[in-house]
């Protein structure tokens, strides 16, 4: 079974940076894309950044220019570099994987808190 484990969350001041990692394990038949989603209290779970196989990326307007999603094939992770963090970025961040057969998998999430 596919398993996704997020790490790298924490508390930072506005303007700071964090790097999230999603470790991938298990058998994947045909990867379509992976992405990072986030959910703040009282809000829906929304896509932040998506990376398609073989590498095209999309970003939410609110994070474009500040966040970068990337694939580390050696460590078998999908990472999210977050720069110039704002209080509005505070949320639980989730890793997601979707196959071309539309099977989806979620990680457990990691908390990101941006406050002064």
């Amino acid at each position: 079974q596919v398993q996704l484990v997020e790490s790298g969350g924490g508390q930072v001041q506005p303007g700071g940076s964090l790097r999230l990692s999603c470790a991938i394990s298990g058998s994947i038949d045909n990867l379509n894309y992976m992405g990072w989603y986030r959910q703040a209290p009282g809000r829906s779970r929304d896509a932040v950044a998506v990376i398609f196989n073989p590498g095209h990326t999309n970003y939410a307007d609110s994070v474009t220019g500040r966040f970068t999603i990337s694939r580390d094939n050696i460590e078998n992770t999908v990472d999210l570099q977050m720069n110039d963090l704002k209080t509005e970025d505070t949320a639980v961040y989730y890793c997601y994987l979707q196959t071309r057969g539309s099977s989806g998998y979620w990680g457990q999430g990691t908390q990101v808190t941006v406050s002064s």
Side-chain angles (χ1 to χ4, degrees), residues 54-68:
H56 177 72
T57 58
N58 286 331
Y59 296 91
D61 290 342
S62 59
V63 307
T64 297
R66 299 188 296 120
F67 291 10
T68 303

Side-chain angles (χ1 to χ4, degrees), residues 2-7 21-25 34-39 45 78 92-98 104-111:
V2 174
Q3 186 175 26
L4 307 175
V5 180
E6 302 98 332
S7 63
S21 292
C22 175
I24 308 161
S25 63
M34 295 191 66
W36 285 95
Y37 292 66
R38 68 186 181 188
Q39 186 168 20
R45 186 178 298 185
V78 171
V92 177
Y93 284 70
Y94 297 89
C95 183
Y96 178 73
L97 183 156
Q98 183 174 313
Y105 303 89
W106 290 97
Q108 290 296 112
T110 185
Q111 177 71 47

Side-chain angles (χ1 to χ4, degrees), residues 7-38:
S7 63
Q11 190 276 327
V12 295
Q13 296 181 351
S17 298
L18 283 174
R19 187 175 182 87
L20 307 182
S21 292
C22 175
I24 308 161
S25 63
S27 179
I28 303 172
D29 292 337
N30 193 2
L31 178 64
N32 186 11
Y33 70 87
M34 295 191 66
W36 285 95
Y37 292 66
R38 68 186 181 188

